[in-house]
């Protein structure tokens, strides 16, 4: 996975070095090459970030920066990067019960990350014209007490029961031949197989859990998948229905990139 963007960066850089006198006079050609380098490095940074996060979760050391989180903002932010692709692929996206969920004490940025992965997967494994629904409710679980549950349900290709646990393991993907080589939003676009590991890490760090419900894998009849994400309700005593300022969700970004910068030095 790291080799692909590295090859891209190397290839475009080499082309920049080899520019002829004639090509040097063509700003649009130069721009294309430089954009290739930038895209490759962004993809690589995304992967390094993800590996870093997964490692943190893996050793049980995911640090949370908690604040009061309004879950509708979380879902809206998580869906934001996919709006265009949802539109292009005619996939209906709906929310229900999210607005009614109580404000929770949680790491908003991490929750956005978790739902970005779940919604992104729903998009990747649902054929054009399908539906993705995000449904919220509060309930009581014997071991966790009061929880909020958010279910991301799709009408996609589904997952065989034998893989329901394994998909949360690092680098596990159901079947390599199933995936196309590229595309974060394309049908069956390939990923590194780390997304759900991170989602699980985030649920665990909040004292919650995540699991999948699906009748099986069937690309013709598309039984769909439902990912359940549950975290205990830790409502601040003074919780009111104030809308949160975006800044509370954004707090972690600079810290993570700072760490990456340190690593790169
Ligand atoms: P990837 O980067 O491959 O998407 P993930 O950890 O997010 O990695 O998911 C692991 C595997 O689980 C995927 O490769 C895919 O086979 C399967 N999977 C995840 N979400 C879904 C879904 N909504 N529908 C069908 N299969 C899914």
């Amino acid at each position: 996975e790291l080799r692909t963007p590295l090859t891209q960066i190397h290839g475009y850089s080499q082309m920049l070095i080899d520019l002829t006198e004639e090509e040097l006079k063509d700003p649009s050609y130069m721009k294309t090459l430089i954009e290739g380098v930038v895209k490759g490095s962004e993809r690589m940074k995304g992967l390094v970030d993800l590996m870093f996060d997964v490692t943190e979760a893996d050793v049980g050391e995911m640090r949370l920066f908690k604040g009061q989180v309004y879950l509708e903002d979380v879902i809206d932010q998580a869906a934001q990067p996919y709006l265009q692709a949802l539109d292009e692929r005619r996939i209906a996206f709906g929310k229900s019960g999210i607005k009614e969920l109580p404000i929770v004490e949680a790491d908003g940025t991490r929750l956005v990350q978790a739902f970005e992965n779940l919604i992104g997967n729903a998009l990747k494994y649902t054929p054009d014209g399908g539906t993705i629904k995000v449904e919220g409710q509060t309930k009581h679980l014997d071991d966790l007490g009061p929880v909020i549950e958010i279910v991301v349900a799709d009408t996609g290709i589904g997952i065989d029961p034998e893989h329901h646990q394994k998909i949360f393991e690092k680098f596990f993907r159901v079947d390599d031949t199933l995936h196309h080589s590229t595309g974060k939003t394309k049908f069956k676009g390939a990923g590194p197989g780390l997304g759900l590991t991170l989602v699980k890490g985030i649920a665990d760090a909040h004292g919650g859990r995540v699991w999948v419900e699906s009748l099986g894998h069937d690309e013709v009849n598309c039984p769909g998948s439902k990912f359940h994400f549950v975290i205990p309700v830790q409502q601040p005593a003074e919780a009111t229905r104030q809308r949160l300022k975006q800044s509370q969700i954004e707090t972690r970004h600079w810290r993570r990139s700072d760490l990456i910068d340190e690593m790169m030095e």
Side-chain angles (χ1 to χ4, degrees), residues 60-103:
E61 277 182 10
M62 181 177 278
R63 281 188 301 156
L64 296 181
F65 297 89
K66 287 191 176 178
Q68 294 184 28
V69 176
Y70 188 78
L71 290 154
E72 196 174 36
D73 285 345
V74 167
I75 301 301
D76 287 348
Q77 278 199 44
Q80 181 63 33
Y82 305 114
L83 295 181
Q84 192 185 339
L86 285 164
D87 200 41
E88 282 166 7
R89 296 191 41 216
R90 292 174 292 102
I91 294 180
F93 180 77
K95 288 180 294 183
S96 72
I98 305 291
K99 213 193 287 274
E100 290 75 26
L101 292 173
I103 291 171

mmCIF file of all heavy atoms in Angstrom, residues 60-103:
data_model
loop_
_atom_site.group_PDB
_atom_site.id
_atom_site.type_symbol
_atom_site.label_atom_id
_atom_site.label_comp_id
_atom_site.label_asym_id
_atom_site.label_seq_id
_atom_site.Cartn_x
_atom_site.Cartn_y
_atom_site.Cartn_z
ATOM 1 N N GLY A 60 -3.560 -0.445 22.810
ATOM 2 C CA GLY A 60 -4.486 0.034 23.846
ATOM 3 C C GLY A 60 -4.115 1.399 24.383
ATOM 4 O O GLY A 60 -4.389 1.729 25.529
ATOM 5 N N GLU A 61 -3.448 2.200 23.539
ATOM 6 C CA GLU A 61 -3.002 3.504 24.026
ATOM 7 C C GLU A 61 -3.595 4.668 23.250
ATOM 8 O O GLU A 61 -2.938 5.680 23.044
ATOM 9 C CB GLU A 61 -1.475 3.578 23.963
ATOM 10 C CG GLU A 61 -0.849 2.925 25.169
ATOM 11 C CD GLU A 61 0.655 3.016 25.167
ATOM 12 O OE1 GLU A 61 1.214 3.741 24.336
ATOM 13 O OE2 GLU A 61 1.254 2.336 26.006
ATOM 14 N N MET A 62 -4.812 4.463 22.773
ATOM 15 C CA MET A 62 -5.408 5.576 22.047
ATOM 16 C C MET A 62 -5.800 6.657 23.058
ATOM 17 O O MET A 62 -6.607 6.414 23.952
ATOM 18 C CB MET A 62 -6.631 5.113 21.270
ATOM 19 C CG MET A 62 -7.249 6.252 20.501
ATOM 20 S SD MET A 62 -8.631 5.721 19.528
ATOM 21 C CE MET A 62 -7.810 5.064 18.112
ATOM 22 N N ARG A 63 -5.185 7.814 22.896
ATOM 23 C CA ARG A 63 -5.500 8.909 23.817
ATOM 24 C C ARG A 63 -6.733 9.627 23.309
ATOM 25 O O ARG A 63 -6.826 9.935 22.129
ATOM 26 C CB ARG A 63 -4.328 9.883 23.910
ATOM 27 C CG ARG A 63 -3.226 9.370 24.807
ATOM 28 C CD ARG A 63 -2.190 10.428 25.033
ATOM 29 N NE ARG A 63 -1.589 10.870 23.769
ATOM 30 C CZ ARG A 63 -1.022 12.051 23.609
ATOM 31 N NH1 ARG A 63 -1.004 12.927 24.592
ATOM 32 N NH2 ARG A 63 -0.479 12.380 22.449
ATOM 33 N N LEU A 64 -7.652 9.872 24.201
ATOM 34 C CA LEU A 64 -8.869 10.567 23.781
ATOM 35 C C LEU A 64 -8.827 11.997 24.291
ATOM 36 O O LEU A 64 -8.375 12.255 25.405
ATOM 37 C CB LEU A 64 -10.107 9.854 24.335
ATOM 38 C CG LEU A 64 -10.352 8.430 23.831
ATOM 39 C CD1 LEU A 64 -11.633 7.871 24.445
ATOM 40 C CD2 LEU A 64 -10.437 8.365 22.309
ATOM 41 N N PHE A 65 -9.284 12.904 23.448
ATOM 42 C CA PHE A 65 -9.416 14.305 23.848
ATOM 43 C C PHE A 65 -10.903 14.589 23.917
ATOM 44 O O PHE A 65 -11.531 14.874 22.904
ATOM 45 C CB PHE A 65 -8.685 15.211 22.853
ATOM 46 C CG PHE A 65 -7.208 14.947 22.827
ATOM 47 C CD1 PHE A 65 -6.665 13.999 21.976
ATOM 48 C CD2 PHE A 65 -6.366 15.618 23.710
ATOM 49 C CE1 PHE A 65 -5.302 13.730 21.981
ATOM 50 C CE2 PHE A 65 -5.001 15.359 23.719
ATOM 51 C CZ PHE A 65 -4.475 14.409 22.859
ATOM 52 N N LYS A 66 -11.437 14.412 25.120
ATOM 53 C CA LYS A 66 -12.901 14.431 25.230
ATOM 54 C C LYS A 66 -13.486 15.812 25.392
ATOM 55 O O LYS A 66 -12.870 16.706 25.965
ATOM 56 C CB LYS A 66 -13.328 13.559 26.416
ATOM 57 C CG LYS A 66 -13.184 12.072 26.138
ATOM 58 C CD LYS A 66 -13.865 11.277 27.245
ATOM 59 C CE LYS A 66 -13.814 9.793 26.946
ATOM 60 N NZ LYS A 66 -14.416 9.014 28.021
ATOM 61 N N GLY A 67 -14.663 15.951 24.880
ATOM 62 C CA GLY A 67 -15.439 17.175 25.037
ATOM 63 C C GLY A 67 -16.899 16.795 24.860
ATOM 64 O O GLY A 67 -17.217 15.616 24.654
ATOM 65 N N GLN A 68 -17.783 17.787 24.930
ATOM 66 C CA GLN A 68 -19.197 17.482 24.708
ATOM 67 C C GLN A 68 -19.434 17.382 23.210
ATOM 68 O O GLN A 68 -19.096 18.293 22.469
ATOM 69 C CB GLN A 68 -20.057 18.581 25.299
ATOM 70 C CG GLN A 68 -19.941 18.636 26.813
ATOM 71 C CD GLN A 68 -20.881 19.684 27.380
ATOM 72 O OE1 GLN A 68 -21.918 19.999 26.809
ATOM 73 N NE2 GLN A 68 -20.509 20.212 28.518
ATOM 74 N N VAL A 69 -19.981 16.271 22.808
ATOM 75 C CA VAL A 69 -20.129 16.032 21.372
ATOM 76 C C VAL A 69 -21.596 15.876 20.984
ATOM 77 O O VAL A 69 -22.340 15.104 21.600
ATOM 78 C CB VAL A 69 -19.333 14.767 20.959
ATOM 79 C CG1 VAL A 69 -19.563 14.452 19.485
ATOM 80 C CG2 VAL A 69 -17.837 14.981 21.206
ATOM 81 N N TYR A 70 -21.949 16.618 19.972
ATOM 82 C CA TYR A 70 -23.293 16.572 19.433
ATOM 83 C C TYR A 70 -23.222 15.645 18.219
ATOM 84 O O TYR A 70 -22.543 15.933 17.233
ATOM 85 C CB TYR A 70 -23.696 17.992 19.038
ATOM 86 C CG TYR A 70 -25.127 18.151 18.643
ATOM 87 C CD1 TYR A 70 -26.137 18.221 19.600
ATOM 88 C CD2 TYR A 70 -25.476 18.278 17.302
ATOM 89 C CE1 TYR A 70 -27.459 18.386 19.219
ATOM 90 C CE2 TYR A 70 -26.792 18.435 16.921
ATOM 91 C CZ TYR A 70 -27.777 18.483 17.881
ATOM 92 O OH TYR A 70 -29.076 18.646 17.494
ATOM 93 N N LEU A 71 -23.879 14.497 18.308
ATOM 94 C CA LEU A 71 -23.630 13.437 17.322
ATOM 95 C C LEU A 71 -24.096 13.763 15.908
ATOM 96 O O LEU A 71 -23.568 13.229 14.940
ATOM 97 C CB LEU A 71 -24.222 12.119 17.818
ATOM 98 C CG LEU A 71 -23.399 11.604 19.007
ATOM 99 C CD1 LEU A 71 -24.220 10.727 19.915
ATOM 100 C CD2 LEU A 71 -22.157 10.865 18.527
ATOM 101 N N GLU A 72 -25.041 14.666 15.804
ATOM 102 C CA GLU A 72 -25.451 15.010 14.444
ATOM 103 C C GLU A 72 -24.303 15.705 13.695
ATOM 104 O O GLU A 72 -24.094 15.482 12.508
ATOM 105 C CB GLU A 72 -26.711 15.865 14.427
ATOM 106 C CG GLU A 72 -27.262 15.834 13.002
ATOM 107 C CD GLU A 72 -28.577 16.516 12.820
ATOM 108 O OE1 GLU A 72 -28.810 17.539 13.473
ATOM 109 O OE2 GLU A 72 -29.347 16.031 11.983
ATOM 110 N N ASP A 73 -23.536 16.540 14.427
ATOM 111 C CA ASP A 73 -22.373 17.174 13.803
ATOM 112 C C ASP A 73 -21.359 16.119 13.365
ATOM 113 O O ASP A 73 -20.720 16.242 12.316
ATOM 114 C CB ASP A 73 -21.684 18.129 14.795
ATOM 115 C CG ASP A 73 -22.486 19.406 14.976
ATOM 116 O OD1 ASP A 73 -23.376 19.661 14.151
ATOM 117 O OD2 ASP A 73 -22.218 20.137 15.955
ATOM 118 N N VAL A 74 -21.197 15.102 14.213
ATOM 119 C CA VAL A 74 -20.243 14.037 13.893
ATOM 120 C C VAL A 74 -20.636 13.350 12.583
ATOM 121 O O VAL A 74 -19.814 13.185 11.676
ATOM 122 C CB VAL A 74 -20.194 12.992 15.049
ATOM 123 C CG1 VAL A 74 -19.464 11.727 14.630
ATOM 124 C CG2 VAL A 74 -19.536 13.591 16.276
ATOM 125 N N ILE A 75 -21.902 12.975 12.480
ATOM 126 C CA ILE A 75 -22.343 12.255 11.274
ATOM 127 C C ILE A 75 -22.261 13.174 10.048
ATOM 128 O O ILE A 75 -21.817 12.757 8.974
ATOM 129 C CB ILE A 75 -23.783 11.697 11.459
ATOM 130 C CG1 ILE A 75 -23.832 10.752 12.674
ATOM 131 C CG2 ILE A 75 -24.268 10.982 10.193
ATOM 132 C CD1 ILE A 75 -22.890 9.556 12.607
ATOM 133 N N ASP A 76 -22.649 14.426 10.221
ATOM 134 C CA ASP A 76 -22.583 15.349 9.075
ATOM 135 C C ASP A 76 -21.148 15.522 8.598
ATOM 136 O O ASP A 76 -20.867 15.497 7.411
ATOM 137 C CB ASP A 76 -23.174 16.717 9.443
ATOM 138 C CG ASP A 76 -24.690 16.643 9.544
ATOM 139 O OD1 ASP A 76 -25.260 15.615 9.107
ATOM 140 O OD2 ASP A 76 -25.300 17.585 10.072
ATOM 141 N N GLN A 77 -20.230 15.687 9.554
ATOM 142 C CA GLN A 77 -18.820 15.856 9.153
ATOM 143 C C GLN A 77 -18.267 14.592 8.518
ATOM 144 O O GLN A 77 -17.469 14.638 7.590
ATOM 145 C CB GLN A 77 -17.962 16.204 10.367
ATOM 146 C CG GLN A 77 -18.015 17.667 10.701
ATOM 147 C CD GLN A 77 -16.835 18.068 11.584
ATOM 148 O OE1 GLN A 77 -15.703 17.673 11.342
ATOM 149 N NE2 GLN A 77 -17.103 18.849 12.591
ATOM 150 N N ALA A 78 -18.695 13.442 9.054
ATOM 151 C CA ALA A 78 -18.183 12.172 8.522
ATOM 152 C C ALA A 78 -18.696 11.927 7.109
ATOM 153 O O ALA A 78 -17.998 11.341 6.281
ATOM 154 C CB ALA A 78 -18.593 11.021 9.448
ATOM 155 N N ALA A 79 -19.902 12.388 6.817
ATOM 156 C CA ALA A 79 -20.490 12.144 5.492
ATOM 157 C C ALA A 79 -19.974 13.143 4.448
ATOM 158 O O ALA A 79 -19.968 12.854 3.253
ATOM 159 C CB ALA A 79 -22.009 12.224 5.580
ATOM 160 N N GLN A 80 -19.521 14.289 4.950
ATOM 161 C CA GLN A 80 -19.109 15.391 4.066
ATOM 162 C C GLN A 80 -18.190 14.974 2.898
ATOM 163 O O GLN A 80 -18.471 15.288 1.746
ATOM 164 C CB GLN A 80 -18.462 16.491 4.924
ATOM 165 C CG GLN A 80 -18.004 17.726 4.189
ATOM 166 C CD GLN A 80 -19.155 18.472 3.527
ATOM 167 O OE1 GLN A 80 -20.263 18.479 4.043
ATOM 168 N NE2 GLN A 80 -18.898 19.047 2.369
ATOM 169 N N PRO A 81 -17.109 14.216 3.166
ATOM 170 C CA PRO A 81 -16.207 13.893 2.051
ATOM 171 C C PRO A 81 -16.850 13.029 0.964
ATOM 172 O O PRO A 81 -16.287 12.894 -0.122
ATOM 173 C CB PRO A 81 -15.071 13.102 2.724
ATOM 174 C CG PRO A 81 -15.262 13.227 4.181
ATOM 175 C CD PRO A 81 -16.654 13.660 4.440
ATOM 176 N N TYR A 82 -18.017 12.436 1.263
ATOM 177 C CA TYR A 82 -18.606 11.488 0.315
ATOM 178 C C TYR A 82 -19.818 12.045 -0.433
ATOM 179 O O TYR A 82 -20.408 11.344 -1.247
ATOM 180 C CB TYR A 82 -19.032 10.208 1.056
ATOM 181 C CG TYR A 82 -17.901 9.587 1.822
ATOM 182 C CD1 TYR A 82 -17.915 9.534 3.207
ATOM 183 C CD2 TYR A 82 -16.791 9.069 1.155
ATOM 184 C CE1 TYR A 82 -16.862 8.975 3.913
ATOM 185 C CE2 TYR A 82 -15.740 8.513 1.847
ATOM 186 C CZ TYR A 82 -15.782 8.464 3.234
ATOM 187 O OH TYR A 82 -14.740 7.918 3.924
ATOM 188 N N LEU A 83 -20.209 13.287 -0.138
ATOM 189 C CA LEU A 83 -21.454 13.795 -0.719
ATOM 190 C C LEU A 83 -21.439 13.763 -2.251
ATOM 191 O O LEU A 83 -22.414 13.348 -2.883
ATOM 192 C CB LEU A 83 -21.753 15.215 -0.198
ATOM 193 C CG LEU A 83 -22.029 15.288 1.321
ATOM 194 C CD1 LEU A 83 -22.342 16.722 1.737
ATOM 195 C CD2 LEU A 83 -23.153 14.338 1.733
ATOM 196 N N GLN A 84 -20.319 14.165 -2.802
ATOM 197 C CA GLN A 84 -20.244 14.193 -4.263
ATOM 198 C C GLN A 84 -20.338 12.771 -4.851
ATOM 199 O O GLN A 84 -21.090 12.530 -5.800
ATOM 200 C CB GLN A 84 -18.939 14.857 -4.696
ATOM 201 C CG GLN A 84 -18.937 15.178 -6.171
ATOM 202 C CD GLN A 84 -17.592 15.738 -6.624
ATOM 203 O OE1 GLN A 84 -16.808 16.240 -5.812
ATOM 204 N NE2 GLN A 84 -17.322 15.643 -7.906
ATOM 205 N N ALA A 85 -19.598 11.850 -4.237
ATOM 206 C CA ALA A 85 -19.620 10.473 -4.749
ATOM 207 C C ALA A 85 -21.007 9.844 -4.582
ATOM 208 O O ALA A 85 -21.476 9.118 -5.454
ATOM 209 C CB ALA A 85 -18.572 9.641 -4.024
ATOM 210 N N LEU A 86 -21.677 10.150 -3.466
ATOM 211 C CA LEU A 86 -23.034 9.618 -3.237
ATOM 212 C C LEU A 86 -23.950 10.077 -4.363
ATOM 213 O O LEU A 86 -24.738 9.309 -4.902
ATOM 214 C CB LEU A 86 -23.589 10.108 -1.896
ATOM 215 C CG LEU A 86 -23.014 9.448 -0.636
ATOM 216 C CD1 LEU A 86 -23.350 10.275 0.597
ATOM 217 C CD2 LEU A 86 -23.562 8.029 -0.469
ATOM 218 N N ASP A 87 -23.779 11.336 -4.700
ATOM 219 C CA ASP A 87 -24.585 11.928 -5.752
ATOM 220 C C ASP A 87 -24.271 11.277 -7.104
ATOM 221 O O ASP A 87 -25.174 10.843 -7.824
ATOM 222 C CB ASP A 87 -24.237 13.435 -5.770
ATOM 223 C CG ASP A 87 -25.319 14.226 -6.440
ATOM 224 O OD1 ASP A 87 -26.487 13.912 -6.199
ATOM 225 O OD2 ASP A 87 -24.978 15.129 -7.240
ATOM 226 N N GLU A 88 -22.979 11.202 -7.404
ATOM 227 C CA GLU A 88 -22.575 10.631 -8.695
ATOM 228 C C GLU A 88 -23.016 9.187 -8.845
ATOM 229 O O GLU A 88 -23.380 8.752 -9.918
ATOM 230 C CB GLU A 88 -21.042 10.689 -8.836
ATOM 231 C CG GLU A 88 -20.544 12.072 -9.214
ATOM 232 C CD GLU A 88 -19.033 12.215 -9.013
ATOM 233 O OE1 GLU A 88 -18.339 11.206 -8.710
ATOM 234 O OE2 GLU A 88 -18.554 13.346 -9.136
ATOM 235 N N ARG A 89 -22.971 8.451 -7.735
ATOM 236 C CA ARG A 89 -23.315 7.027 -7.821
ATOM 237 C C ARG A 89 -24.789 6.763 -7.474
ATOM 238 O O ARG A 89 -25.182 5.644 -7.280
ATOM 239 C CB ARG A 89 -22.346 6.227 -6.939
ATOM 240 C CG ARG A 89 -20.905 6.342 -7.466
ATOM 241 C CD ARG A 89 -19.969 5.361 -6.797
ATOM 242 N NE ARG A 89 -20.618 4.098 -6.646
ATOM 243 C CZ ARG A 89 -20.439 3.288 -5.590
ATOM 244 N NH1 ARG A 89 -19.615 3.623 -4.642
ATOM 245 N NH2 ARG A 89 -21.075 2.151 -5.513
ATOM 246 N N ARG A 90 -25.557 7.816 -7.377
ATOM 247 C CA ARG A 90 -27.011 7.763 -7.111
ATOM 248 C C ARG A 90 -27.322 6.897 -5.888
ATOM 249 O O ARG A 90 -28.247 6.102 -5.892
ATOM 250 C CB ARG A 90 -27.770 7.261 -8.348
ATOM 251 C CG ARG A 90 -27.749 8.248 -9.525
ATOM 252 C CD ARG A 90 -28.369 7.653 -10.766
ATOM 253 N NE ARG A 90 -27.555 6.564 -11.317
ATOM 254 C CZ ARG A 90 -27.796 5.268 -11.177
ATOM 255 N NH1 ARG A 90 -28.852 4.859 -10.531
ATOM 256 N NH2 ARG A 90 -26.981 4.372 -11.691
ATOM 257 N N ILE A 91 -26.518 7.048 -4.850
ATOM 258 C CA ILE A 91 -26.780 6.305 -3.615
ATOM 259 C C ILE A 91 -27.474 7.248 -2.639
ATOM 260 O O ILE A 91 -26.967 8.328 -2.340
ATOM 261 C CB ILE A 91 -25.469 5.729 -3.032
ATOM 262 C CG1 ILE A 91 -24.919 4.669 -3.996
ATOM 263 C CG2 ILE A 91 -25.691 5.152 -1.638
ATOM 264 C CD1 ILE A 91 -23.632 4.008 -3.582
ATOM 265 N N ALA A 92 -28.666 6.828 -2.188
ATOM 266 C CA ALA A 92 -29.428 7.672 -1.266
ATOM 267 C C ALA A 92 -28.800 7.587 0.113
ATOM 268 O O ALA A 92 -28.422 6.496 0.576
ATOM 269 C CB ALA A 92 -30.871 7.197 -1.222
ATOM 270 N N PHE A 93 -28.663 8.728 0.787
ATOM 271 C CA PHE A 93 -28.076 8.753 2.123
ATOM 272 C C PHE A 93 -29.081 9.363 3.091
ATOM 273 O O PHE A 93 -29.558 10.480 2.865
ATOM 274 C CB PHE A 93 -26.778 9.572 2.096
ATOM 275 C CG PHE A 93 -26.109 9.662 3.432
ATOM 276 C CD1 PHE A 93 -25.393 8.598 3.935
ATOM 277 C CD2 PHE A 93 -26.227 10.813 4.208
ATOM 278 C CE1 PHE A 93 -24.786 8.665 5.179
ATOM 279 C CE2 PHE A 93 -25.615 10.892 5.448
ATOM 280 C CZ PHE A 93 -24.890 9.817 5.937
ATOM 281 N N GLY A 94 -29.440 8.619 4.117
ATOM 282 C CA GLY A 94 -30.435 9.149 5.051
ATOM 283 C C GLY A 94 -30.000 8.972 6.492
ATOM 284 O O GLY A 94 -29.201 8.090 6.825
ATOM 285 N N LYS A 95 -30.523 9.859 7.359
ATOM 286 C CA LYS A 95 -30.229 9.767 8.807
ATOM 287 C C LYS A 95 -31.559 9.689 9.528
ATOM 288 O O LYS A 95 -32.520 10.328 9.106
ATOM 289 C CB LYS A 95 -29.551 11.047 9.294
ATOM 290 C CG LYS A 95 -28.141 11.258 8.863
ATOM 291 C CD LYS A 95 -27.610 12.573 9.425
ATOM 292 C CE LYS A 95 -28.306 13.772 8.862
ATOM 293 N NZ LYS A 95 -27.811 15.058 9.310
ATOM 294 N N SER A 96 -31.590 8.918 10.616
ATOM 295 C CA SER A 96 -32.794 9.008 11.447
ATOM 296 C C SER A 96 -32.418 8.807 12.912
ATOM 297 O O SER A 96 -31.515 8.026 13.236
ATOM 298 C CB SER A 96 -33.861 8.004 11.003
ATOM 299 O OG SER A 96 -33.480 6.716 11.351
ATOM 300 N N GLY A 97 -33.070 9.539 13.755
ATOM 301 C CA GLY A 97 -32.858 9.419 15.203
ATOM 302 C C GLY A 97 -31.557 10.015 15.712
ATOM 303 O O GLY A 97 -31.259 9.950 16.913
ATOM 304 N N ILE A 98 -30.746 10.581 14.835
ATOM 305 C CA ILE A 98 -29.435 11.102 15.261
ATOM 306 C C ILE A 98 -29.604 12.413 16.041
ATOM 307 O O ILE A 98 -28.970 12.623 17.083
ATOM 308 C CB ILE A 98 -28.502 11.323 14.043
ATOM 309 C CG1 ILE A 98 -28.374 10.042 13.215
ATOM 310 C CG2 ILE A 98 -27.141 11.838 14.490
ATOM 311 C CD1 ILE A 98 -27.622 8.926 13.868
ATOM 312 N N LYS A 99 -30.473 13.262 15.521
ATOM 313 C CA LYS A 99 -30.694 14.561 16.160
ATOM 314 C C LYS A 99 -31.184 14.402 17.606
ATOM 315 O O LYS A 99 -30.868 15.208 18.464
ATOM 316 C CB LYS A 99 -31.780 15.291 15.351
ATOM 317 C CG LYS A 99 -31.607 16.812 15.306
ATOM 318 C CD LYS A 99 -32.860 17.485 14.786
ATOM 319 C CE LYS A 99 -33.082 17.322 13.306
ATOM 320 N NZ LYS A 99 -32.429 18.282 12.465
ATOM 321 N N GLU A 100 -31.922 13.328 17.848
ATOM 322 C CA GLU A 100 -32.524 13.126 19.172
ATOM 323 C C GLU A 100 -31.531 12.532 20.184
ATOM 324 O O GLU A 100 -31.839 12.447 21.376
ATOM 325 C CB GLU A 100 -33.734 12.178 19.070
ATOM 326 C CG GLU A 100 -34.949 12.771 18.356
ATOM 327 C CD GLU A 100 -34.773 12.841 16.831
ATOM 328 O OE1 GLU A 100 -33.997 12.035 16.286
ATOM 329 O OE2 GLU A 100 -35.388 13.723 16.193
ATOM 330 N N LEU A 101 -30.363 12.098 19.724
ATOM 331 C CA LEU A 101 -29.420 11.463 20.659
ATOM 332 C C LEU A 101 -28.906 12.478 21.672
ATOM 333 O O LEU A 101 -28.728 13.655 21.340
ATOM 334 C CB LEU A 101 -28.235 10.862 19.891
ATOM 335 C CG LEU A 101 -28.556 9.659 19.000
ATOM 336 C CD1 LEU A 101 -27.331 9.267 18.165
ATOM 337 C CD2 LEU A 101 -29.020 8.474 19.836
ATOM 338 N N PRO A 102 -28.635 12.026 22.895
ATOM 339 C CA PRO A 102 -28.116 12.973 23.879
ATOM 340 C C PRO A 102 -26.693 13.405 23.532
ATOM 341 O O PRO A 102 -25.974 12.690 22.829
ATOM 342 C CB PRO A 102 -28.120 12.165 25.180
ATOM 343 C CG PRO A 102 -28.106 10.753 24.767
ATOM 344 C CD PRO A 102 -28.794 10.672 23.429
ATOM 345 N N ILE A 103 -26.316 14.560 24.037
ATOM 346 C CA ILE A 103 -24.922 14.994 23.887
ATOM 347 C C ILE A 103 -24.062 14.027 24.694
ATOM 348 O O ILE A 103 -24.434 13.633 25.794
ATOM 349 C CB ILE A 103 -24.764 16.426 24.444
ATOM 350 C CG1 ILE A 103 -25.495 17.405 23.521
ATOM 351 C CG2 ILE A 103 -23.300 16.816 24.584
ATOM 352 C CD1 ILE A 103 -25.583 18.809 24.070
#
